[in-house]
């Protein structure tokens, strides 16, 4: 099977303003507009002889532990599963980037593509630094990870940030916020299985429920008049508003005590350290839902 050479470094000017605001993105946008972006060295295509399809994506279960954290040590020893999936995502030919089709197949593909590329970029960092990479813990690190590193999805050059914006703008279902993982500790955990069009609704419900109840996405503080929420709810406030607002959405999935209408919402700091099974926080238990 033939292979194509790794994509060379190139320069691209970013002018798109994201609709989802992460901390430091205004500065990151300034940096992106004043500097050249680079292409990450991509793995050779494994699917040049025929177009890749979602069915050809291989399960990443061996690389993800029961808590949804990545086994980067194991991944560095054998990255073949991940490299295969990156190649499929690059070459997938059955999807039109500009299509207005809001189908389960498209949602599943884009969410899988984001998670695969995010894991690949983190894997590159971990391999380069001998498992000593701490994650996107600085604005500069996040700038490179989300803005400056170009990726290919279904033949389209893009970045993780642009892909994220594409997902949120195209699919207004707020559950997709819990379907993508930015290789950071406070991101929703990776699902046990790849997203599948035939099971997507139940998978999205499971991701939302797990994040809210098991990952500390919503916990009560003080005398139960204050709810501490993940910053993801703040960044996606506009999309959550379409579903009746943040409290209404949370109460659909929250186990135990529901959020009253009068609850005050506060937002947790976002932990950008890498989502691996040897993270210092990996042995800490989440607070039970109440």
């Amino acid at each position: 099977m033939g292979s194509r050479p790794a994509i060379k470094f190139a320069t691209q000017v970013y002018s798109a303003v994201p609709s989802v605001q992460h901390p430091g993105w205004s500065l990151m946008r300034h940096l992106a507009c004043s500097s050249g972006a680079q292409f990450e060295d991509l793995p050779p295509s494994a699917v040049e002889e025929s177009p890749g399809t979602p069915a050809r994506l291989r399960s990443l279960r061996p690389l993800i532990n029961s808590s949804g954290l990545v086994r980067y040590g194991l991944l560095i020893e054998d990255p073949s599963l991940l490299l295969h999936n990156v190649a499929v995502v690059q070459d997938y030919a059955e999807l039109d980037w500009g299509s207005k089709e809001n189908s389960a197949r498209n949602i599943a593909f884009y969410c899988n593509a984001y998670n695969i590329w995010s894991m690949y970029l983190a894997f590159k960092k971990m391999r380069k630094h001998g498992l000593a990479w701490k994650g996107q813990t600085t604005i500069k690190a996040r700038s490179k990870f989300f803005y400056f590193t170009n990726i290919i999805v279904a033949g389209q050059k893009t970045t993780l940030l642009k892909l994220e914006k594409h997902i949120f703008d195209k699919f207004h279902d707020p559950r997709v916020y819990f379907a993508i993982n930015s290789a950071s500790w406070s991101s929703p955990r990776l699902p046990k299985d790849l997203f599948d069009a035939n099971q997507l609704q139940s998978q999205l419900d499971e991701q939302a429920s797990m994040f809210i109840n098991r990952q500390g996405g919503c916990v009560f503080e003080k005398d139960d008049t204050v709810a501490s929420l993940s910053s993801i709810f703040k960044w996606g406030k506009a999309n959550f508003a379409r579903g009746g607002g943040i409290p209404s959405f949370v109460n659909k999935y929250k186990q135990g005590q529901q959020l009253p209408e009068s609850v005050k919402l506060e937002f947790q700091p976002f932990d950008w350290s890498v989502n691996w099974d040897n993270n210092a926080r990996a042995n800490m238990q989440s607070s039970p839902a109440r």
Side-chain angles (χ1 to χ4, degrees):
M1 182 177 296
S3 63
R4 65 184 179 207
I7 296 178
K8 297 180 179 179
F9 289 104
T11 299
Q12 179 176 3
V13 176
Y14 291 84
S15 57
V17 177
S19 61
V20 182
Q21 298 297 320
H22 284 257
W25 278 9
S26 59
L27 175 58
M28 289 161 63
R29 196 158 51 240
H30 169 74
L31 292 172
C33 291
S34 60
S35 303
Q38 70 180 34
F39 280 99
E40 190 72 22
D41 291 334
L42 302 180
S45 171
V47 290
E48 283 191 331
E49 294 182 356
S50 61
T53 66
R56 298 190 68 236
L57 289 175
R58 296 174 183 169
S59 173
L60 294 174
R61 271 196 176 209
L63 303 176
I64 302 170
N65 73 7
S66 59
S67 298
L69 301 172
V70 179
R71 295 186 170 109
Y72 284 105
L74 182 62
L75 179 56
I76 288 174
E77 291 179 8
D78 182 8
S80 57
L81 280 176
L82 180 59
L83 296 183
H84 169 87
N85 281 1
V86 170
V88 172
V89 167
Q90 288 182 81
D91 294 340
Y92 182 53
E94 296 183 15
L95 183 145
D96 178 6
W97 182 272
S99 171
K100 296 182 179 180
E101 181 185 0
N102 190 358
S103 67
R105 184 193 69 165
N106 285 1
I107 297 174
F109 172 79
Y110 281 124
C111 290
N112 286 331
Y114 187 99
N115 292 341
I116 288 166
W117 267 115
S118 179
M119 185 188 296
Y120 174 74
L121 297 184
F123 150 73
K124 292 269 288 186
K125 294 289 188 181
M126 295 291 273
R127 184 174 65 178
K128 178 180 179 181
H129 297 284
L131 293 175
W133 185 61
K134 300 300 183 182
Q136 310 146 45
T137 56
T138 66
I139 291 177
K140 182 178 179 180
R142 292 194 286 277
S143 298
K144 183 173 182 181
F145 199 87
F146 291 104
Y147 264 96
F148 290 94
T149 303
N150 288 272
I151 63 177
I152 297 178
V153 175
Q156 176 79 22
K157 291 184 292 184
T158 186
T159 65
L160 279 179
L161 181 66
K162 288 183 178 180
L163 178 57
E164 179 177 317
K165 183 178 185 298
H166 183 74
I167 292 170
F168 294 154
D169 289 352
K170 186 178 181 68
F171 312 116
H172 296 303
D173 187 333
R175 294 176 299 172
V176 299
Y177 281 85
F178 312 107
I180 64 174
N181 177 283
S182 61
S184 56
W185 183 264
S186 288
S187 287
R189 296 287 184 259
L190 287 164
K192 293 180 294 184
D193 298 299
L194 295 170
F195 291 106
D196 181 279
N198 296 324
Q199 306 174 52
L200 185 63
Q201 297 306 314
S202 61
Q203 287 178 314
L204 292 178
D205 281 337
E206 182 179 356
Q207 285 295 111
S209 178
M210 181 173 67
F211 185 78
I212 289 170
N213 296 295
R214 293 176 55 192
Q215 201 179 328
C218 174
V219 294
F220 278 108
E221 301 286 352
K222 301 178 182 178
D223 57 354
D224 294 348
T225 61
V226 178
S228 176
L229 301 175
S230 164
S231 291
I232 291 173
F233 288 101
K234 177 173 63 176
W235 298 332
K237 186 176 181 180
N239 274 337
F240 286 105
R242 292 188 178 97
I246 293 173
S248 176
F249 178 88
V250 169
N251 284 337
K252 292 179 183 178
Y253 298 98
K254 191 176 185 308
Q255 299 168 2
Q257 185 175 340
Q258 299 280 284
L259 298 184
E261 292 184 5
S262 59
V263 68
K264 179 182 177 181
L265 302 181
E266 294 183 349
F267 298 99
Q268 306 158 4
F270 198 86
D271 186 344
W272 290 97
S273 61
V274 67
N275 63 329
W276 72 314
D277 59 341
N278 202 30
N279 187 301
R281 297 184 60 181
N283 294 324
M284 297 173 62
Q285 295 183 347
S286 300
S287 302
R290 62 184 182 89

